[in-house]
Amino acid sequence: MNFADQLKQLPAIAHVAAIELLDASGQVLDRIHNQPGKAGSVAVYHALAQQHGGVITPAAAAQGLALFCEHTAAARAHPGSHPNIDRLLAWAEGTASHAVRVVSA
Protein backbone atom coordinates (compact mmCIF):
# COMPACT_ATOMS: atom_id res chain seq x y z
CA MET A 1 0.00 0.00 0.00
CA ASN A 2 1.30 3.47 -0.79
CA PHE A 3 0.89 6.74 1.13
CA ALA A 4 -2.11 7.90 -0.91
CA ASP A 5 -3.92 4.65 -0.08
CA GLN A 6 -3.00 4.96 3.60
CA LEU A 7 -4.44 8.49 3.73
CA LYS A 8 -7.80 7.20 2.49
CA GLN A 9 -8.01 4.96 5.57
CA LEU A 10 -7.16 7.62 8.16
CA PRO A 11 -9.78 9.68 10.05
CA ALA A 12 -11.00 12.87 8.39
CA ILE A 13 -9.19 16.09 9.27
CA ALA A 14 -11.53 18.74 7.81
CA HIS A 15 -12.17 19.98 11.36
CA VAL A 16 -8.43 20.41 12.05
CA ALA A 17 -6.71 23.74 11.36
CA ALA A 18 -3.36 22.54 12.73
CA ILE A 19 -1.63 20.02 14.95
CA GLU A 20 0.62 21.28 17.74
CA LEU A 21 3.39 19.05 19.03
CA LEU A 22 4.32 19.64 22.66
CA ASP A 23 7.39 18.92 24.75
CA ALA A 24 7.31 17.45 28.26
CA SER A 25 6.61 20.86 29.82
CA GLY A 26 3.71 21.58 27.45
CA GLN A 27 5.61 24.05 25.26
CA VAL A 28 4.86 23.97 21.54
CA LEU A 29 7.73 22.35 19.63
CA ASP A 30 6.10 22.75 16.25
CA ARG A 31 2.78 23.45 14.57
CA ILE A 32 1.77 21.67 11.37
CA HIS A 33 -0.94 23.55 9.50
CA ASN A 34 -3.62 21.71 7.57
CA GLN A 35 -2.75 23.10 4.16
CA PRO A 36 -1.69 21.69 0.79
CA GLY A 37 1.64 19.92 1.12
CA LYS A 38 1.16 19.39 4.87
CA ALA A 39 -2.32 17.83 5.08
CA GLY A 40 -0.92 14.30 4.83
CA SER A 41 1.34 14.92 7.82
CA VAL A 42 -1.59 16.42 9.75
CA ALA A 43 -3.65 13.31 8.95
CA VAL A 44 -0.91 10.95 10.14
CA TYR A 45 -0.13 12.85 13.36
CA HIS A 46 -3.86 13.28 14.06
CA ALA A 47 -4.49 9.54 13.59
CA LEU A 48 -1.56 8.63 15.83
CA ALA A 49 -2.80 10.98 18.54
CA GLN A 50 -6.29 9.48 18.36
CA GLN A 51 -4.95 5.93 18.58
CA HIS A 52 -2.50 6.64 21.40
CA GLY A 53 -4.42 8.83 23.82
CA GLY A 54 -3.23 12.18 22.51
CA VAL A 55 0.45 11.27 22.80
CA ILE A 56 3.03 10.15 20.28
CA THR A 57 5.22 7.55 21.94
CA PRO A 58 8.25 5.95 20.30
CA ALA A 59 6.01 3.03 19.25
CA ALA A 60 3.43 5.45 17.81
CA ALA A 61 6.22 7.25 15.90
CA ALA A 62 7.29 3.92 14.40
CA GLN A 63 3.68 3.29 13.38
CA GLY A 64 3.63 6.73 11.73
CA LEU A 65 6.73 5.87 9.72
CA ALA A 66 4.91 2.83 8.37
CA LEU A 67 1.94 5.02 7.40
CA PHE A 68 4.18 7.38 5.43
CA CYS A 69 5.22 4.37 3.29
CA GLU A 70 7.44 5.41 0.37
CA HIS A 71 8.00 8.87 1.85
CA THR A 72 9.81 7.32 4.83
CA ALA A 73 12.38 5.77 2.49
CA ALA A 74 12.79 9.13 0.76
CA ALA A 75 13.27 10.86 4.12
CA ARG A 76 15.93 8.35 5.14
CA ALA A 77 17.74 8.83 1.82
CA HIS A 78 17.51 12.64 1.94
CA PRO A 79 17.53 13.90 5.55
CA GLY A 80 15.91 17.31 5.88
CA SER A 81 13.66 16.91 2.85
CA HIS A 82 10.71 15.64 4.93
CA PRO A 83 10.92 17.34 8.37
CA ASN A 84 7.69 15.81 9.69
CA ILE A 85 9.01 12.34 8.90
CA ASP A 86 12.49 13.21 10.19
CA ARG A 87 10.85 14.07 13.52
CA LEU A 88 9.14 10.66 13.68
CA LEU A 89 12.43 8.94 12.82
CA ALA A 90 14.07 10.64 15.81
CA TRP A 91 11.12 10.03 18.12
CA ALA A 92 10.91 6.33 17.17
CA GLU A 93 14.54 5.90 18.28
CA GLY A 94 14.12 7.84 21.52
CA THR A 95 12.32 7.29 24.79
CA ALA A 96 10.27 10.49 25.13
CA SER A 97 6.58 10.85 24.40
CA HIS A 98 5.11 14.03 22.94
CA ALA A 99 1.62 15.33 23.48
CA VAL A 100 -0.44 16.43 20.49
CA ARG A 101 -2.92 19.29 20.60
CA VAL A 102 -5.51 19.65 17.86
CA VAL A 103 -6.29 23.22 16.80
CA SER A 104 -9.86 23.26 15.49
CA ALA A 105 -10.71 24.88 12.20
Side-chain angles (χ1 to χ4, degrees):
M1 188 176 301
N2 65 24
F3 184 56
D5 292 334
Q6 290 286 6
L7 285 177
K8 292 175 188 172
Q9 298 188 25
L10 297 178
I13 57 167
H15 68 287
V16 178
I19 294 285
E20 292 182 337
L21 308 171
L22 311 176
D23 66 13
S25 65
Q27 297 298 310
V28 176
L29 294 171
D30 201 0
R31 179 183 256 214
I32 309 169
H33 293 276
N34 187 0
Q35 63 189 35
K38 302 290 181 197
S41 291
V42 170
V44 169
Y45 279 81
H46 179 258
L48 294 174
Q50 281 191 327
Q51 293 173 7
H52 297 276
V55 177
I56 298 180
T57 63
Q63 180 184 355
L65 294 171
L67 292 173
F68 274 112
C69 301
E70 70 275 10
H71 297 294
T72 298
R76 288 182 199 274
H78 305 285
S81 62
H82 298 280
N84 294 321
I85 299 173
D86 292 341
R87 179 183 302 110
L88 290 179
L89 286 166
W91 289 1
E93 305 245 336
T95 58
S97 295
H98 301 275
V100 176
R101 182 167 47 215
V102 174
V103 179
S104 298

Coordinates of all heavy atoms in Angstrom, one line a residue:
M1 N 0.8 -1.2 0.0 CA 0.0 0.0 0.0 C 0.9 1.2 0.0 O 1.9 1.3 0.7 CB -0.9 0.0 1.2 CG -2.0 1.0 1.2 SD -3.1 1.0 2.6 CE -3.8 -0.7 2.5
N2 N 0.5 2.2 -0.8 CA 1.3 3.5 -0.8 C 0.7 4.5 0.1 O -0.4 4.3 0.7 CB 1.5 4.0 -2.2 CG 0.2 4.4 -2.9 OD1 -0.8 4.7 -2.2 ND2 0.2 4.4 -4.2
F3 N 1.3 5.7 0.2 CA 0.9 6.7 1.1 C -0.5 7.2 0.8 O -1.3 7.4 1.7 CB 1.9 7.9 1.1 CG 1.6 9.0 2.1 CD1 1.4 8.7 3.5 CD2 1.4 10.3 1.7 CE1 1.1 9.7 4.4 CE2 1.2 11.3 2.6 CZ 1.0 11.0 4.0
A4 N -0.8 7.4 -0.5 CA -2.1 7.9 -0.9 C -3.2 6.9 -0.5 O -4.3 7.4 0.0 CB -2.2 8.1 -2.4
D5 N -2.9 5.6 -0.5 CA -3.9 4.6 -0.1 C -4.1 4.7 1.4 O -5.2 4.5 2.0 CB -3.5 3.2 -0.5 CG -3.6 3.1 -2.0 OD1 -4.4 3.8 -2.7 OD2 -2.8 2.2 -2.6
Q6 N -2.9 4.9 2.1 CA -3.0 5.0 3.6 C -3.9 6.1 4.0 O -4.7 6.0 5.0 CB -1.6 5.1 4.2 CG -0.7 3.9 4.1 CD -1.1 2.8 5.1 OE1 -2.1 2.9 5.8 NE2 -0.3 1.8 5.1
L7 N -3.7 7.3 3.4 CA -4.4 8.5 3.7 C -5.9 8.3 3.6 O -6.7 8.8 4.5 CB -4.1 9.7 2.8 CG -2.7 10.3 3.1 CD1 -2.4 11.4 2.1 CD2 -2.6 10.9 4.5
K8 N -6.4 7.5 2.7 CA -7.8 7.2 2.5 C -8.4 6.5 3.7 O -9.6 6.5 3.9 CB -8.0 6.4 1.2 CG -7.7 7.2 0.0 CD -7.9 6.3 -1.3 CE -7.4 7.0 -2.5 NZ -7.3 6.2 -3.7
Q9 N -7.5 5.8 4.4 CA -8.0 5.0 5.6 C -7.9 5.7 6.9 O -8.4 5.2 7.9 CB -7.2 3.7 5.6 CG -7.5 2.8 4.4 CD -6.9 1.5 4.5 OE1 -6.7 0.9 5.6 NE2 -6.6 0.9 3.3
L10 N -7.3 6.9 6.9 CA -7.2 7.6 8.2 C -8.4 8.5 8.4 O -9.1 8.8 7.5 CB -5.9 8.5 8.1 CG -4.6 7.8 7.9 CD1 -3.4 8.8 7.8 CD2 -4.4 6.8 9.1
P11 N -8.6 8.8 9.7 CA -9.8 9.7 10.0 C -9.7 11.0 9.3 O -8.6 11.5 9.0 CB -9.6 9.9 11.6 CG -8.8 8.7 12.0 CD -7.9 8.4 10.9
A12 N -10.9 11.6 9.1 CA -11.0 12.9 8.4 C -10.4 14.0 9.2 O -10.4 13.9 10.5 CB -12.5 13.2 8.1
I13 N -9.8 15.0 8.6 CA -9.2 16.1 9.3 C -9.8 17.5 8.8 O -9.1 18.5 9.1 CB -7.7 16.1 9.1 CG1 -7.3 16.1 7.6 CG2 -7.0 14.9 9.8 CD1 -5.8 16.4 7.3
A14 N -10.9 17.5 8.2 CA -11.5 18.7 7.8 C -11.7 19.7 9.0 O -11.7 20.9 8.8 CB -12.8 18.5 7.1
H15 N -11.9 19.2 10.2 CA -12.2 20.0 11.4 C -10.9 20.5 12.0 O -10.9 21.2 13.0 CB -13.0 19.2 12.4 CG -12.2 18.0 12.9 ND1 -12.0 16.9 12.2 CD2 -11.6 17.8 14.2 CE1 -11.3 16.0 13.0 NE2 -11.1 16.6 14.2
V16 N -9.7 20.1 11.5 CA -8.4 20.4 12.1 C -7.8 21.5 11.3 O -7.5 21.4 10.1 CB -7.5 19.2 12.0 CG1 -6.1 19.5 12.6 CG2 -8.2 18.0 12.8
A17 N -7.4 22.6 12.0 CA -6.7 23.7 11.4 C -5.2 23.5 11.4 O -4.5 23.8 10.5 CB -7.0 25.1 12.0
A18 N -4.8 22.8 12.5 CA -3.4 22.5 12.7 C -3.2 21.5 13.8 O -4.1 21.3 14.6 CB -2.6 23.8 13.1
I19 N -2.0 20.9 13.9 CA -1.6 20.0 15.0 C -0.5 20.7 15.7 O 0.5 21.1 15.0 CB -1.2 18.7 14.4 CG1 -2.4 17.9 13.7 CG2 -0.5 17.8 15.4 CD1 -3.3 17.3 14.7
E20 N -0.5 20.8 17.0 CA 0.6 21.3 17.7 C 1.3 20.1 18.5 O 0.6 19.3 19.1 CB 0.2 22.3 18.7 CG -0.3 23.6 18.1 CD -0.7 24.7 19.1 OE1 -1.0 24.4 20.2 OE2 -0.7 25.9 18.6
L21 N 2.6 20.1 18.4 CA 3.4 19.0 19.0 C 4.1 19.7 20.2 O 4.7 20.7 20.1 CB 4.4 18.5 18.0 CG 3.8 18.0 16.7 CD1 4.9 17.7 15.7 CD2 2.9 16.9 16.9
L22 N 3.9 19.0 21.4 CA 4.3 19.6 22.7 C 5.5 18.9 23.3 O 5.5 17.6 23.2 CB 3.1 19.7 23.6 CG 1.8 20.2 23.1 CD1 0.7 20.1 24.1 CD2 2.0 21.7 22.7
D23 N 6.3 19.6 24.0 CA 7.4 18.9 24.8 C 6.9 18.5 26.1 O 5.7 18.7 26.4 CB 8.6 19.8 24.8 CG 8.5 21.1 25.7 OD1 7.4 21.2 26.4 OD2 9.3 21.9 25.6
A24 N 7.7 18.0 27.0 CA 7.3 17.4 28.3 C 6.7 18.5 29.2 O 5.9 18.2 30.0 CB 8.5 16.8 28.9
S25 N 7.1 19.8 29.0 CA 6.6 20.9 29.8 C 5.4 21.5 29.2 O 4.9 22.5 29.8 CB 7.7 21.9 30.1 OG 8.1 22.5 28.9
G26 N 4.9 21.0 28.1 CA 3.7 21.6 27.5 C 4.0 22.7 26.5 O 3.0 23.3 26.0
Q27 N 5.3 23.0 26.2 CA 5.6 24.0 25.3 C 5.5 23.5 23.8 O 5.8 22.4 23.6 CB 7.0 24.5 25.5 CG 7.2 25.2 26.8 CD 6.4 26.4 27.0 OE1 6.4 27.3 26.2 NE2 5.7 26.5 28.1
V28 N 5.0 24.4 22.9 CA 4.9 24.0 21.5 C 6.2 23.8 20.9 O 7.0 24.8 20.8 CB 4.0 25.0 20.8 CG1 3.9 24.6 19.3 CG2 2.6 25.1 21.4
L29 N 6.5 22.6 20.4 CA 7.7 22.4 19.6 C 7.6 22.7 18.2 O 8.5 23.3 17.5 CB 8.1 20.9 19.7 CG 8.5 20.3 21.0 CD1 8.6 18.8 20.9 CD2 9.8 20.9 21.5
D30 N 6.4 22.5 17.7 CA 6.1 22.8 16.2 C 4.6 22.7 16.0 O 3.8 22.2 16.8 CB 6.8 21.7 15.3 CG 6.9 22.2 13.9 OD1 6.6 23.4 13.6 OD2 7.5 21.4 13.1
R31 N 4.2 23.4 15.0 CA 2.8 23.5 14.6 C 2.7 23.1 13.1 O 3.4 23.7 12.3 CB 2.2 24.8 14.8 CG 0.8 25.0 14.4 CD 0.3 26.4 14.6 NE -0.5 26.4 15.8 CZ -1.6 27.2 15.9 NH1 -1.9 28.1 14.9 NH2 -2.3 27.2 17.0
I32 N 1.9 22.1 12.8 CA 1.8 21.7 11.4 C 0.4 22.1 10.9 O -0.6 21.6 11.5 CB 1.9 20.1 11.2 CG1 3.2 19.6 11.9 CG2 1.9 19.8 9.7 CD1 3.3 18.1 12.0
H33 N 0.3 23.0 10.0 CA -0.9 23.6 9.5 C -1.6 22.6 8.5 O -0.9 22.0 7.7 CB -0.7 24.9 8.9 CG -0.3 26.0 9.9 ND1 -1.2 26.6 10.7 CD2 0.9 26.4 10.3 CE1 -0.6 27.4 11.5 NE2 0.7 27.3 11.3
N34 N -2.9 22.5 8.5 CA -3.6 21.7 7.6 C -3.8 22.5 6.3 O -4.7 23.3 6.1 CB -5.0 21.3 8.1 CG -5.7 20.4 7.3 OD1 -5.2 19.9 6.2 ND2 -6.9 20.0 7.7
Q35 N -2.8 22.4 5.4 CA -2.8 23.1 4.2 C -2.1 22.2 3.1 O -1.5 21.2 3.5 CB -1.9 24.4 4.3 CG -0.5 24.1 4.7 CD 0.3 25.4 5.0 OE1 -0.3 26.3 5.6 NE2 1.5 25.5 4.6
P36 N -2.3 22.5 1.8 CA -1.7 21.7 0.8 C -0.2 21.5 1.0 O 0.5 22.4 1.4 CB -1.9 22.5 -0.5 CG -3.2 23.3 -0.2 CD -3.1 23.6 1.3
G37 N 0.3 20.3 0.9 CA 1.6 19.9 1.1 C 1.9 19.5 2.5 O 3.0 18.9 2.8
K38 N 1.0 19.8 3.5 CA 1.2 19.4 4.9 C 0.0 18.6 5.4 O 0.1 18.0 6.5 CB 1.3 20.6 5.8 CG 2.5 21.5 5.4 CD 3.8 20.9 5.7 CE 4.9 21.8 5.4 NZ 6.2 21.1 5.3
A39 N -1.1 18.5 4.6 CA -2.3 17.8 5.1 C -2.1 16.4 5.4 O -2.6 15.8 6.3 CB -3.4 18.0 4.1
G40 N -1.2 15.7 4.6 CA -0.9 14.3 4.8 C -0.2 14.1 6.2 O -0.6 13.2 6.9
S41 N 0.7 15.0 6.5 CA 1.3 14.9 7.8 C 0.3 15.2 8.9 O 0.4 14.5 10.0 CB 2.5 16.0 7.9 OG 3.5 15.6 7.1
V42 N -0.6 16.1 8.7 CA -1.6 16.4 9.7 C -2.4 15.2 9.9 O -2.7 14.8 11.1 CB -2.5 17.6 9.3 CG1 -3.7 17.8 10.3 CG2 -1.6 18.9 9.4
A43 N -2.8 14.5 8.9 CA -3.6 13.3 8.9 C -2.9 12.2 9.7 O -3.5 11.5 10.6 CB -4.0 12.8 7.6
V44 N -1.7 12.0 9.5 CA -0.9 10.9 10.1 C -0.8 11.3 11.6 O -1.1 10.4 12.5 CB 0.5 10.7 9.5 CG1 1.4 9.8 10.4 CG2 0.3 10.1 8.1
Y45 N -0.3 12.5 12.0 CA -0.1 12.9 13.4 C -1.5 12.8 14.1 O -1.5 12.4 15.3 CB 0.5 14.2 13.5 CG 2.0 14.2 13.3 CD1 2.6 14.2 12.0 CD2 2.9 14.3 14.4 CE1 4.0 14.2 11.9 CE2 4.3 14.3 14.3 CZ 4.8 14.2 13.0 OH 6.2 14.3 12.9
H46 N -2.5 13.3 13.4 CA -3.9 13.3 14.1 C -4.3 11.8 14.4 O -4.8 11.5 15.5 CB -4.9 14.0 13.1 CG -6.2 14.0 13.6 ND1 -7.2 13.1 13.1 CD2 -6.9 14.8 14.5 CE1 -8.4 13.4 13.8 NE2 -8.2 14.4 14.6
A47 N -4.1 10.9 13.4 CA -4.5 9.5 13.6 C -3.7 8.9 14.7 O -4.2 8.2 15.6 CB -4.3 8.8 12.3
L48 N -2.4 9.2 14.7 CA -1.6 8.6 15.8 C -2.0 9.1 17.2 O -2.1 8.4 18.1 CB -0.1 9.0 15.6 CG 0.6 8.4 14.4 CD1 2.0 9.0 14.2 CD2 0.6 6.9 14.5
A49 N -2.3 10.4 17.3 CA -2.8 11.0 18.5 C -4.1 10.3 19.0 O -4.3 10.0 20.1 CB -3.0 12.5 18.4
Q50 N -5.0 10.1 18.0 CA -6.3 9.5 18.4 C -6.1 8.1 18.9 O -6.7 7.6 19.8 CB -7.2 9.5 17.1 CG -7.9 10.8 16.9 CD -9.0 10.6 15.8 OE1 -8.9 9.8 14.9 NE2 -10.0 11.4 15.9
Q51 N -5.2 7.3 18.2 CA -5.0 5.9 18.6 C -4.1 5.8 19.9 O -4.2 4.7 20.5 CB -4.2 5.2 17.4 CG -5.1 5.1 16.2 CD -4.3 4.5 15.0 OE1 -3.1 4.1 15.2 NE2 -4.8 4.5 13.9
H52 N -3.4 6.8 20.3 CA -2.5 6.6 21.4 C -2.8 7.6 22.5 O -1.8 8.1 23.2 CB -1.0 6.7 20.9 CG -0.7 5.7 20.0 ND1 -0.2 4.4 20.4 CD2 -0.7 5.6 18.6 CE1 0.0 3.7 19.3 NE2 -0.3 4.4 18.2
G53 N -4.0 8.0 22.7 CA -4.4 8.8 23.8 C -3.9 10.2 23.8 O -3.6 10.8 24.9
G54 N -3.7 10.8 22.6 CA -3.2 12.2 22.5 C -1.7 12.4 22.6 O -1.2 13.5 22.8
V55 N -1.0 11.2 22.6 CA 0.4 11.3 22.8 C 1.1 10.4 21.7 O 0.6 9.3 21.4 CB 0.8 10.7 24.2 CG1 2.3 10.7 24.4 CG2 0.2 11.5 25.3
I56 N 2.2 10.9 21.2 CA 3.0 10.1 20.3 C 4.2 9.6 21.0 O 5.1 10.3 21.5 CB 3.5 11.0 19.1 CG1 2.2 11.4 18.3 CG2 4.4 10.1 18.2 CD1 2.5 12.3 17.1
T57 N 4.2 8.3 21.3 CA 5.2 7.5 21.9 C 6.2 7.1 20.9 O 6.0 7.2 19.7 CB 4.6 6.3 22.6 OG1 4.1 5.5 21.6 CG2 3.5 6.7 23.6
P58 N 7.3 6.5 21.3 CA 8.2 6.0 20.3 C 7.6 4.9 19.4 O 7.8 4.8 18.2 CB 9.4 5.4 21.1 CG 9.4 6.3 22.3 CD 8.0 6.6 22.6
A59 N 6.7 4.1 20.0 CA 6.0 3.0 19.2 C 5.0 3.7 18.3 O 4.9 3.2 17.1 CB 5.3 2.1 20.2
A60 N 4.4 4.7 18.7 CA 3.4 5.4 17.8 C 4.2 6.1 16.7 O 3.7 6.1 15.5 CB 2.6 6.5 18.6
A61 N 5.4 6.6 16.9 CA 6.2 7.2 15.9 C 6.6 6.2 14.9 O 6.6 6.5 13.7 CB 7.4 7.9 16.5
A62 N 7.0 5.0 15.3 CA 7.3 3.9 14.4 C 6.1 3.6 13.5 O 6.2 3.3 12.3 CB 7.8 2.7 15.2
Q63 N 4.9 3.6 14.1 CA 3.7 3.3 13.4 C 3.5 4.4 12.3 O 3.1 4.1 11.2 CB 2.5 3.2 14.3 CG 1.2 3.0 13.6 CD 0.0 3.0 14.6 OE1 0.2 3.2 15.8 NE2 -1.2 2.9 14.1
G64 N 3.8 5.6 12.7 CA 3.6 6.7 11.7 C 4.6 6.6 10.6 O 4.2 6.9 9.4
L65 N 5.8 6.1 10.8 CA 6.7 5.9 9.7 C 6.2 4.8 8.7 O 6.4 5.0 7.5 CB 8.1 5.4 10.3 CG 8.8 6.5 11.1 CD1 10.0 5.9 11.8 CD2 9.2 7.7 10.3
A66 N 5.5 3.8 9.2 CA 4.9 2.8 8.4 C 3.8 3.4 7.5 O 3.6 3.1 6.4 CB 4.4 1.6 9.2
L67 N 3.0 4.4 8.1 CA 1.9 5.0 7.4 C 2.5 5.9 6.3 O 1.8 6.0 5.2 CB 1.1 5.9 8.4 CG 0.3 5.1 9.4 CD1 -0.4 6.1 10.4 CD2 -0.8 4.2 8.7
F68 N 3.6 6.5 6.5 CA 4.2 7.4 5.4 C 4.7 6.6 4.2 O 5.1 7.2 3.2 CB 5.3 8.3 6.0 CG 4.8 9.6 6.6 CD1 4.8 9.8 8.0 CD2 4.2 10.6 5.8 CE1 4.4 11.0 8.5 CE2 3.7 11.7 6.3 CZ 3.8 12.0 7.7
C69 N 4.8 5.3 4.4 CA 5.2 4.4 3.3 C 6.5 4.8 2.5 O 7.5 5.0 3.1 CB 4.1 4.2 2.3 SG 2.6 3.5 3.1
E70 N 6.3 5.1 1.2 CA 7.4 5.4 0.4 C 8.1 6.7 0.8 O 9.3 6.9 0.5 CB 7.0 5.5 -1.1 CG 6.1 6.6 -1.5 CD 4.6 6.4 -1.3 OE1 4.2 5.4 -0.6 OE2 3.8 7.2 -1.8
H71 N 7.4 7.6 1.4 CA 8.0 8.9 1.9 C 9.0 8.7 3.0 O 9.9 9.5 3.1 CB 6.9 9.9 2.3 CG 6.0 10.2 1.1 ND1 6.5 10.9 0.0 CD2 4.7 10.0 0.9 CE1 5.5 11.1 -0.8 NE2 4.4 10.5 -0.3
T72 N 8.8 7.6 3.8 CA 9.8 7.3 4.8 C 11.2 6.9 4.2 O 12.2 7.4 4.7 CB 9.3 6.2 5.8 OG1 8.1 6.7 6.4 CG2 10.3 5.8 6.8
A73 N 11.1 6.1 3.2 CA 12.4 5.8 2.5 C 13.0 7.0 1.9 O 14.3 7.2 2.0 CB 12.1 4.7 1.4
A74 N 12.2 7.9 1.3 CA 12.8 9.1 0.8 C 13.4 10.0 1.8 O 14.5 10.6 1.7 CB 11.7 9.9 0.0
A75 N 12.8 10.1 3.0 CA 13.3 10.9 4.1 C 14.6 10.3 4.6 O 15.5 11.0 5.0 CB 12.2 10.9 5.2
R76 N 14.7 9.0 4.7 CA 15.9 8.4 5.1 C 17.1 8.6 4.1 O 18.2 8.9 4.5 CB 15.8 6.8 5.3 CG 14.9 6.4 6.5 CD 14.9 4.9 6.6 NE 13.8 4.4 7.4 CZ 13.8 4.2 8.7 NH1 14.9 4.5 9.3 NH2 12.8 3.8 9.3
A77 N 16.7 8.6 2.9 CA 17.7 8.8 1.8 C 18.2 10.3 1.7 O 19.3 10.6 1.3 CB 17.2 8.3 0.5
H78 N 17.2 11.2 2.1 CA 17.5 12.6 1.9 C 17.1 13.4 3.2 O 16.1 14.1 3.2 CB 16.7 13.2 0.7 CG 17.0 12.5 -0.5 ND1 18.2 12.6 -1.2 CD2 16.3 11.6 -1.2 CE1 18.2 11.9 -2.3 NE2 17.1 11.2 -2.3
P79 N 17.9 13.2 4.3 CA 17.5 13.9 5.6 C 17.3 15.4 5.3 O 18.0 16.1 4.6 CB 18.8 13.7 6.4 CG 19.4 12.4 5.9 CD 19.1 12.5 4.4
G80 N 16.3 15.9 6.0 CA 15.9 17.3 5.9 C 14.9 17.6 4.8 O 14.3 18.7 4.8
S81 N 14.6 16.7 3.9 CA 13.7 16.9 2.8 C 12.2 16.7 3.3 O 11.3 17.2 2.7 CB 14.0 16.0 1.6 OG 13.8 14.7 2.0
H82 N 12.0 15.9 4.4 CA 10.7 15.6 4.9 C 10.8 15.8 6.5 O 10.8 14.9 7.2 CB 10.3 14.2 4.6 CG 10.2 13.9 3.2 ND1 9.1 14.3 2.4 CD2 11.0 13.3 2.3 CE1 9.2 13.9 1.2 NE2 10.4 13.3 1.1
P83 N 10.7 17.1 6.9 CA 10.9 17.3 8.4 C 9.9 16.6 9.3 O 10.3 16.3 10.4 CB 10.8 18.9 8.5 CG 10.3 19.3 7.2 CD 10.5 18.3 6.2
N84 N 8.7 16.5 8.8 CA 7.7 15.8 9.7 C 7.9 14.3 9.8 O 7.6 13.7 10.8 CB 6.3 16.1 9.2 CG 5.9 17.6 9.3 OD1 6.3 18.2 10.3 ND2 5.3 18.1 8.3
I85 N 8.6 13.7 8.8 CA 9.0 12.3 8.9 C 10.3 12.2 9.7 O 10.5 11.3 10.5 CB 9.1 11.7 7.5 CG1 7.8 11.7 6.8 CG2 9.7 10.3 7.6 CD1 7.8 11.3 5.3
D86 N 11.2 13.2 9.4 CA 12.5 13.2 10.2 C 12.2 13.2 11.7 O 12.9 12.5 12.5 CB 13.3 14.4 9.8 CG 13.9 14.4 8.4 OD1 13.9 13.3 7.8 OD2 14.2 15.5 7.9
R87 N 11.2 14.0 12.1 CA 10.8 14.1 13.5 C 10.4 12.7 14.0 O 10.9 12.2 15.1 CB 9.7 15.1 13.7 CG 9.3 15.2 15.2 CD 8.1 16.2 15.3 NE 8.4 17.5 14.8 CZ 7.9 18.0 13.7 NH1 7.0 17.3 13.0 NH2 8.2 19.2 13.3
L88 N 9.6 12.0 13.3 CA 9.1 10.7 13.7 C 10.3 9.7 13.7 O 10.3 8.8 14.6 CB 8.0 10.1 12.8 CG 6.7 10.9 12.9 CD1 5.7 10.2 11.9 CD2 6.1 10.8 14.3
L89 N 11.2 9.8 12.8 CA 12.4 8.9 12.8 C 13.2 9.1 14.1 O 13.6 8.1 14.8 CB 13.4 9.3 11.6 CG 12.9 8.8 10.3 CD1 13.7 9.4 9.2 CD2 13.0 7.3 10.2
A90 N 13.4 10.4 14.5 CA 14.1 10.6 15.8 C 13.3 10.1 17.0 O 13.8 9.5 17.9 CB 14.4 12.1 15.9
W91 N 12.0 10.4 17.0 CA 11.1 10.0 18.1 C 11.0 8.5 18.2 O 10.9 8.0 19.4 CB 9.7 10.6 18.0 CG 9.7 12.1 18.2 CD1 10.8 13.0 18.5 CD2 8.6 13.0 18.2 NE1 10.3 14.2 18.7 CE2 9.0 14.3 18.5 CE3 7.2 12.7 18.0 CZ2 8.1 15.4 18.5 CZ3 6.3 13.8 18.0 CH2 6.8 15.1 18.3
A92 N 11.0 7.8 17.1 CA 10.9 6.3 17.2 C 12.2 5.7 17.8 O 12.1 4.7 18.4 CB 10.7 5.8 15.8
E93 N 13.3 6.4 17.7 CA 14.5 5.9 18.3 C 14.8 6.4 19.7 O 15.7 5.9 20.4 CB 15.7 6.4 17.4 CG 15.5 6.0 16.0 CD 16.6 5.0 15.5 OE1 17.7 5.0 16.1 OE2 16.3 4.3 14.5
G94 N 13.9 7.3 20.2 CA 14.1 7.8 21.5 C 13.3 7.2 22.6 O 12.7 6.1 22.3
T95 N 13.1 7.8 23.7 CA 12.3 7.3 24.8 C 11.2 8.2 25.2 O 10.3 7.9 26.0 CB 13.2 7.0 26.0 OG1 13.9 8.2 26.4 CG2 14.2 5.9 25.7
A96 N 11.3 9.5 24.7 CA 10.3 10.5 25.1 C 9.0 10.3 24.4 O 8.9 9.8 23.3 CB 10.8 11.9 24.9
S97 N 7.9 10.8 25.0 CA 6.6 10.8 24.4 C 6.2 12.3 24.3 O 6.6 13.1 25.1 CB 5.5 10.1 25.3 OG 5.8 8.8 25.3
H98 N 5.5 12.6 23.2 CA 5.1 14.0 22.9 C 3.6 14.2 22.8 O 3.0 13.4 22.0 CB 5.8 14.5 21.7 CG 7.3 14.4 21.8 ND1 8.1 15.4 22.3 CD2 8.2 13.4 21.4 CE1 9.3 15.0 22.3 NE2 9.4 13.8 21.8
A99 N 3.1 15.1 23.6 CA 1.6 15.3 23.5 C 1.3 16.0 22.2 O 2.1 16.8 21.6 CB 1.2 16.2 24.7
V100 N 0.1 15.8 21.7 CA -0.4 16.4 20.5 C -1.7 17.2 20.9 O -2.6 16.7 21.5 CB -0.8 15.4 19.4 CG1 -1.4 16.0 18.2 CG2 0.4 14.6 19.1
R101 N -1.7 18.5 20.4 CA -2.9 19.3 20.6 C -3.5 19.6 19.2 O -2.8 20.1 18.3 CB -2.5 20.6 21.3 CG -3.7 21.5 21.6 CD -3.4 22.6 22.6 NE -2.2 23.3 22.4 CZ -1.4 23.8 23.3 NH1 -1.7 23.6 24.6 NH2 -0.3 24.4 23.0
V102 N -4.8 19.4 19.1 CA -5.5 19.6 17.9 C -6.1 21.1 17.9 O -6.7 21.4 18.9 CB -6.7 18.6 17.6 CG1 -7.5 19.0 16.4 CG2 -6.1 17.2 17.5
V103 N -5.8 21.9 16.9 CA -6.3 23.2 16.8 C -7.5 23.1 15.8 O -7.3 22.8 14.7 CB -5.2 24.2 16.3 CG1 -5.8 25.6 16.1 CG2 -4.0 24.2 17.2
S104 N -8.7 23.4 16.3 CA -9.9 23.3 15.5 C -9.9 24.3 14.4 O -9.5 25.5 14.6 CB -11.1 23.3 16.4 OG -11.1 22.2 17.3
A105 N -10.5 23.9 13.3 CA -10.7 24.9 12.2 C -11.9 25.8 12.5 O -12.7 25.6 13.3 CB -11.0 24.1 10.9

